[in-house]
Amino acid sequence: MASEPEADMDFQSMPKIEIHAHLSGSISRQCLHEIWSKKKAAGSTDLEDPLVVMPVDKHDYDLNTFFPLFSSYIYHLVDDVDSLTYTTKSVVADFAADGVVYLELRTTPRAMATAGLDKAGYVEAVLDAMAAAQAEHPSIRAKLILSMDRRNTPEEAREVVLLARQFRARGVVGVDLCGDPAKGDVALFTPAVREAKAAAGGGLGVTIHFAEAECSASEAELQTIMDWDPDRLGHVIHVPEHIKRRITAARPSGGGGGSSSRGLELCLSCNVHAKMIVGSFEAHHFGEWWRVEGVTVVPCTDDVGVFGSPVSNEWRLIQRHFKLTRAEILELVRKGIDVIFGGEEEKQRLRRLMW
Ligand code: IMP
Ligand code: ZN
């Protein structure tokens, strides 16, 4: 007898974790508009209204149109401490309202010359805003990952790792490698990643954007990254079979996240809207990976401000397109706890919270 489809779950109320969310890409258009309106009224911006630049229903940014959104627009609008604070608080509040109880935001430290802020000042301002947001929304705990950009020099990448170490006590839990997959040579980041893993008092968590586009999925690049033994991988799209075997192989070290299972941060809506995969949701490699042993799949939004699908909706899409039962969904949500970078105490809190 064919089983009945299960009733829709209340994915917004379901406690969830989000561990792959870029700060500047997670700012809602409404929030950007509020910043812009204030600056416009004060005569301090010549930029166009974000609601014109990024119309509310437009989510089909691809790899060619996506990255310039930041370099040509968002970074010019969010260029001072007040707007950085306002947007960061708004991002944390949005995740809390969507039922996220544990968040790892990530951001690329960026000096704001006109505001007299160096990269350390930027990280500090983001952490201050995250702390303020958590005080206002006690249901969520938020940690920070610092991103190295593929265009960084080796020195800039090491500076990111130094900042991550410097701000560890304030809630920085890991480092990431992100940015335009068409740019850069990942081999240059080997020393920085080594330093992150060797950080005193236990390594920082290491997560890497992996095989996101064909141009960033050469044999040399994938092997170099796997040699780093990253704790988590983001996207994981263009992966040949022998690399899949490396991804699922047992990890003797346990890694910075303290998990022997490697985390896979899969971003369904982002990959579909940006046409990073062939086909739509049913064709997404979530279907291939979610039950595989040796990895822990965590659905993530990547850039909810751009692609418009909150985490609750990612779970809704998963239920709809991959027909997971209620029990399978709850088990998968809970399993994600294993690969957070926030430490044992936080894992215990989440396990108590999640059934
Ligand atoms: P920020 O680091 O907080 O400024 O967030 C925006 C930055 O995140 C962008 O400039 C990109 O470098 C990076 N980013 C966001 N989404 C992606 C992605 O899907 N792949 C690679 N990098 C990304
Ligand atoms: Zn990403």
Side-chain angles (χ1 to χ4, degrees), residues 107-338:
T107 196
T108 323
R110 164 164 71 94
M112 291 178 165
T114 49
L117 212 64
D118 61 9
K119 290 182 184 178
Y122 173 92
V123 174
E124 203 163 12
V126 169
L127 287 165
D128 287 345
M130 286 170 66
Q134 288 173 87
E136 284 170 28
H137 305 277
S139 60
I140 192 167
R141 295 268 172 89
K143 303 287 183 187
L144 189 62
I145 292 172
L146 297 186
S147 298
M148 303 176 279
D149 188 288
R150 294 176 65 103
R151 278 168 298 194
N152 283 167
T153 62
E155 292 70 33
E156 287 166 330
R158 290 176 73 184
E159 192 186 352
V160 171
V161 174
L162 276 179
L163 287 170
R165 292 164 73 155
Q166 182 184 340
F167 287 101
R168 235 168 150 194
R170 292 229 30 218
V172 175
V173 291
V175 295
D176 163 44
L177 178 62
C178 72
D180 189 340
K183 306 275 160 65
D185 171 7
V186 296
L188 299 176
F189 297 92
T190 298
V193 172
R194 285 221 181 99
E195 278 175 33
K197 297 188 78 141
L204 290 155
V206 172
T207 176
I208 307 289
H209 283 67
F210 188 76
E212 195 179 354
E214 278 181 50
C215 59
S216 66
S218 68
E219 177 72 11
E221 169 154 348
L222 301 188
Q223 295 287 11
T224 298
I225 294 173
M226 290 313 297
D227 286 346
W228 298 341
D229 188 24
D231 302 296
R232 303 198 314 238
L233 298 171
H235 295 291
V236 196
I237 301 173
H238 302 275
V239 188
E241 289 304 320
H242 65 287
I243 300 287
K244 287 180 188 165
R245 285 194 289 278
R246 280 198 82 178
I247 292 174
T248 53
R251 305 181 60 214
S253 64
S259 169
S260 55
S261 168
R262 207 182 302 278
L264 301 189
E265 307 155 357
L266 302 189
C267 309
L268 282 79
S269 290
C270 157
N271 297 166
V272 169
H273 290 310
K275 300 195 171 51
M276 292 155 73
I277 60 164
V278 179
S280 190
F281 290 98
E282 308 75 42
H284 195 274
H285 47 291
F286 171 88
E288 174 189 347
W289 281 105
W290 72 274
R291 275 185 277 215
V292 171
E293 289 214 16
V295 295
T296 298
V297 169
V298 184
C300 299
T301 54
D302 210 9
D303 297 280
V304 60
V306 178
F307 298 111
S309 174
V311 202
S312 57
N313 194 53
E314 294 299 286
W315 283 104
R316 197 169 295 121
L317 291 165
I318 283 168
Q319 186 189 40
R320 184 178 311 154
H321 295 286
F322 298 98
K323 315 285 183 232
L324 271 69
T325 64
R326 179 188 170 85
E328 285 168 336
I329 286 174
L330 295 180
E331 193 185 335
L332 196 57
V333 177
R334 194 172 199 272
K335 194 172 169 219
I337 300 169
D338 292 349

